[in-house]
Amino acid sequence: MSETESPAARAVPVVPPGPPPRPGEGERLRTVSVPGATLTVRYRPTPDPGAGPALLVHGLGGSSQNWSPLMELLADDLDCEAVDLPGFGESPPPDDGDHSITAYARVVIRYLEAAGRGPVHLFGNSMGGAIVTRVAAVRPDLVRTLTLVSPALPELRPQRTALPTALMAVPGLVPLYARLTRDWTPEQRTRELLALCYGDPQRVTPEGFARAVEEYERRLELPYFWDVMARSARGVVDAYTLGGQHSLWRQAERVLAPTLLVYGTRDRLVSYRMARRAGRAFRDARLLTLLGSGHVAMMEDPDAVARAVRELLADTATTSERSATPRG
């Protein structure tokens, strides 16, 4: 069995809920129906009518709010939309209860087809990185460029700090965890997640922390919150163990779109050492390694990520112009 076909260690990356934007920050929400799901889409109108379309996909436990800092910085460059995957953020669970990576990729494809915005600049963080990798592999016609922030691709030797989150994928343990931590305050839960996902949790302002706590409180009141977390965690594990042509690493090799890979050196969930393997797997890859950043670089260091995205856009535009220039 080749390395790309080997069963992966079962570490499941988790993304904290992001603080909701302040009123008047320029973001809007709309609800969209696609076959099998109802989606909430967060968007920020761009002043440039010619800006390229972009779709941003969050990770396990996250929401479209995780992309708000980056969307604001890229407002002059891209027409950004961020989707709440079924069961996360403001989106209800899918009709069929399927929270696999393949099912989420299918939802993203259906949305892109319905919206008619493709090909788009596609972004994914953590579990969202696995989802959009699959989308880019099976539907290259829908993807112009690909940006992956700490993508949840299988690791043979995961970091020790990532292993506890794998317990969410074990049947029955999420409800047990919910009962054992029922006395935890939203502040305590939020603080634990930020410590896990940020390289330096002190970068979160008091105002940002308060808004994150408010969002976490809202989610805990949802009757399906823990069930969606458990099902989605099992979906990530199942995707990690697939071999052959369905392996996420094999699908990474099929991606044609120019790809930006973003890793943080203090990521406790996805090791930055995976950057080397990812750089080999994606055929047209650029790598940004952020010293001191953790699992959610687009929230922790959005300026650096935005600069790298602009460089990717410029490189892609230059390549397209050269391809379109007649040779005489």
Side-chain angles (χ1 to χ4, degrees):
M1 181 179 290
S2 70
E3 186 179 8
T4 56
E5 295 173 345
S6 300
R10 309 193 172 192
V12 182
V14 181
V15 177
R22 304 179 195 88
E25 281 192 39
E27 290 187 353
R28 303 175 186 174
L29 299 177
R30 68 169 178 271
T31 301
V32 179
S33 294
V34 298
T38 300
L39 304 174
T40 296
V41 178
R42 183 179 305 273
Y43 64 102
R44 173 183 287 275
T46 176
D48 182 2
L55 184 69
L56 303 92
V57 182
H58 64 81
L60 176 62
S63 77
S64 59
Q65 296 171 13
N66 295 135
W67 296 104
S68 292
L70 187 63
M71 288 173 65
E72 181 176 5
L73 292 173
L74 294 177
D76 292 333
D77 306 282
L78 293 172
D79 182 8
C80 289
E81 294 184 345
V83 63
D84 283 335
L85 293 170
F88 294 100
E90 302 284 347
S91 296
D95 295 347
D96 60 3
D98 189 347
H99 293 271
S100 65
I101 296 297
T102 298
Y104 283 139
R106 189 182 305 122
V107 167
V108 171
I109 289 171
R110 286 173 176 171
Y111 174 70
L112 289 174
E113 290 177 334
R117 301 178 75 237
V120 299
H121 300 280
L122 193 57
F123 293 66
N125 168 237
S126 192
M127 180 183 76
I131 293 167
V132 299
T133 294
R134 185 150 289 175
V135 172
V138 301
R139 289 297 303 271
D141 58 304
L142 294 176
V143 183
R144 189 174 303 182
T145 66
L146 187 64
T147 297
L148 304 176
V149 182
S150 295
L153 301 175
E155 296 187 49
L156 295 178
R157 290 181 294 276
Q159 300 179 102
R160 205 176 308 172
T161 49
L163 291 175
T165 61
L167 295 176
M168 289 193 304
V170 179
L173 283 190
V174 165
L176 175 62
Y177 174 81
R179 290 195 298 273
L180 292 175
T181 62
R182 63 180 177 270
D183 294 331
W184 285 20
T185 65
E187 288 82 3
Q188 184 177 358
R189 294 179 189 275
T190 302
R191 195 171 290 109
E192 291 289 329
L193 271 179
L194 294 178
L196 182 66
C197 293
Y198 274 69
D200 180 7
Q202 296 302 315
R203 294 186 182 184
V204 181
T205 65
E207 180 187 7
F209 180 78
R211 287 184 285 125
V213 170
E214 179 183 348
E215 170 63 9
Y216 211 148
E217 281 186 296
R218 183 192 71 82
R219 294 190 189 190
L220 288 171
E221 294 176 356
L222 298 173
Y224 52 79
F225 174 77
W226 291 112
D227 181 62
V228 167
M229 290 292 289
R231 290 174 182 264
S232 298
R234 286 196 290 272
V236 175
V237 168
D238 289 344
Y240 277 18
T241 59
L242 292 175
Q245 295 304 311
H246 298 290
S247 160
L248 284 169
W249 285 114
R250 286 287 184 88
Q251 295 199 322
E253 294 170 356
R254 293 169 54 189
V255 172
L256 302 177
T259 301
L260 170 63
L261 301 166
V262 181
Y263 288 84
T265 60
R266 297 187 66 182
D267 192 332
R268 297 175 178 87
L269 295 166
V270 171
S271 173
Y272 75 93
R273 293 188 298 270
M274 297 302 294
R276 182 177 301 177
R277 182 177 182 184
R280 293 195 304 264
F282 292 91
R283 65 181 68 190
D284 186 2
R286 299 148 181 80
L287 174 62
L288 172 65
T289 302
L290 295 175
L291 300 177
S293 285
H295 192 59
V296 286
M298 74 286 187
M299 300 170 69
E300 190 171 8
D301 198 351
D303 291 290
V305 177
R307 285 194 298 270
V309 170
R310 293 191 193 101
E311 291 174 3
L312 172 66
L313 298 177
D315 290 347
T316 304
T318 301
T319 301
S320 298
E321 289 173 3
R322 288 175 179 171
S323 300
T325 301
R327 297 181 180 180

